[in-house]
Amino acid sequence: MHGSLTTRAAIASVSMALFLLALKIFAAAETGSVALLGSLADTGFDVLASLLTLFSVRYAARPADDNHRFGHGKAEALSALIQVILVIVSAVLIGWRAVDRLGSGKTTAHPEYGIGVSIIAIVATLGLLAYQRHVVRKTGSVAIHADHVHYQSDLLLNIAVITGIALETFLHVRGADPVFGIGIACWLLWGAYRAAQLALDQLLDREWPEEKRHRFIEVAMRHPELRGIHDMRTRSSGAHDFCQFHVWVDPNMTVLQAHRIMDEVEEALMHEFPGVEVLIHPDPEGHKDELGYIPSETIEHQDHDHD
């Protein structure tokens, strides 16, 4: 389900980028606008990034195999990082062109083409952004999120193009177009920074957000026979979440009894966190491993009798 959603979102992104690329090639050639040229360059990188996203989400949706026991989800994070690099290159080129234009003193021609194309791009981008938000909410895909961040910047970029062209050609504010081009470049760099953070969090196995971790622990601790939770580790890979933790149980339990409890805890967690892969290790109450990194949480059940 998640794989088909992310694939459809990636195909929509590719289609949108190709459509806007054709429009902006025409408008940039007719107007000579630096802001629109920056928008064109950004859209060209969008085509490459969207194709990369399409490949990555399809690859990430493949099931686990003997060589990739945790699945292929990190392909999305790698895709997002490559998109970040493309955005940075785009921003640098736009900034360079804008500075060059400021020095040359050239003005924008045929402003109606640039404004018209930018309005069409805004309407189309709004539709794509709404669909991407839906897919990200459903799947948590970092590749689609990175693409979403980029198209958010495209929305503001097109508004900036309209403003820059209008100020320079209709209100005769000299240099407005290249100045807005520099502003667009700075906005792209900020979007790249945000998208890079998300991708690196997955590649470096950053823990889940605190609220999600606490909710997970709360659900697990509802089981009356659990004496505590410790050594909890969490991570995400693409649209897939993983959690492993140790639990304390009555040391006099049989293996069969402890296994039954683990199954019941897993069932409760699967109900509240669909799709999360859970690994639970039972320990006799009070036991803690001494080797390796020891996570900070130790949550004890308050309701049982210690006697």
Side-chain angles (χ1 to χ4, degrees), residues 109-144:
H110 299 296
E112 65 277 6
Y113 291 145
I115 292 174
V117 165
S118 296
I119 290 173
I120 294 172
I122 287 171
V123 173
T125 302
L126 283 172
L128 179 63
L129 287 173
Y131 183 56
Q132 287 179 327
R133 279 195 299 272
H134 166 73
V135 172
V136 171
R137 280 197 301 268
K138 291 285 187 180
T139 67
S141 167
V142 292
I144 299 300

Side-chain angles (χ1 to χ4, degrees), residues 139-189:
T139 67
S141 167
V142 292
I144 299 300
H145 182 272
D147 215 30
H148 181 75
V149 169
H150 200 165
Y151 276 105
Q152 280 181 321
S153 70
D154 280 359
L155 191 62
L156 293 178
L157 184 150
N158 285 299
I159 294 172
V161 168
I162 293 172
T163 306
I165 292 175
L167 285 173
E168 183 167 292
T169 58
F170 299 135
L171 299 179
H172 307 292
V173 179
R174 187 177 179 83
D177 179 56
V179 166
F180 270 85
I182 293 172
I184 289 167
C186 291
W187 174 257
L188 288 174
L189 290 174

Side-chain angles (χ1 to χ4, degrees), residues 167-246:
L167 285 173
E168 183 167 292
T169 58
F170 299 135
L171 299 179
H172 307 292
V173 179
R174 187 177 179 83
D177 179 56
V179 166
F180 270 85
I182 293 172
I184 289 167
C186 291
W187 174 257
L188 288 174
L189 290 174
W190 171 243
Y193 170 74
R194 291 164 57 200
Q197 281 187 311
L198 287 174
L200 288 173
D201 283 349
Q202 285 211 2
L203 290 173
L204 298 176
D205 290 332
R206 185 179 178 87
E207 290 289 318
W208 294 349
E210 283 299 313
E211 182 180 349
K212 184 174 180 179
R213 289 169 56 83
H214 291 160
R215 173 67 177 158
F216 196 89
I217 291 169
E218 176 196 342
V219 172
M221 288 300 294
R222 289 175 186 168
H223 196 288
E225 294 179 271
L226 281 194
R227 301 291 178 85
I229 289 178
H230 63 103
D231 291 6
M232 178 173 169
R233 295 171 172 87
T234 61
R235 67 185 184 92
S236 297
S237 178
H240 307 286
D241 286 332
F242 299 86
C243 180
Q244 64 184 62
F245 56 94
H246 292 211

Side-chain angles (χ1 to χ4, degrees), residues 261-301:
I261 293 173
M262 301 306 100
D263 284 345
E264 291 170 356
V265 172
E266 284 188 16
E267 184 178 354
L269 290 169
M270 289 299 99
H271 179 72
E272 296 284 340
F273 297 85
V276 175
E277 185 171 315
V278 179
L279 178 63
I280 307 175
H281 176 81
D283 285 328
E285 184 177 7
H287 172 80
K288 278 193 176 183
D289 294 326
E290 298 298 333
L291 299 177
Y293 166 70
I294 306 300
S296 57
E297 299 99 334
T298 297
I299 299 90
E300 298 186 49
H301 210 299

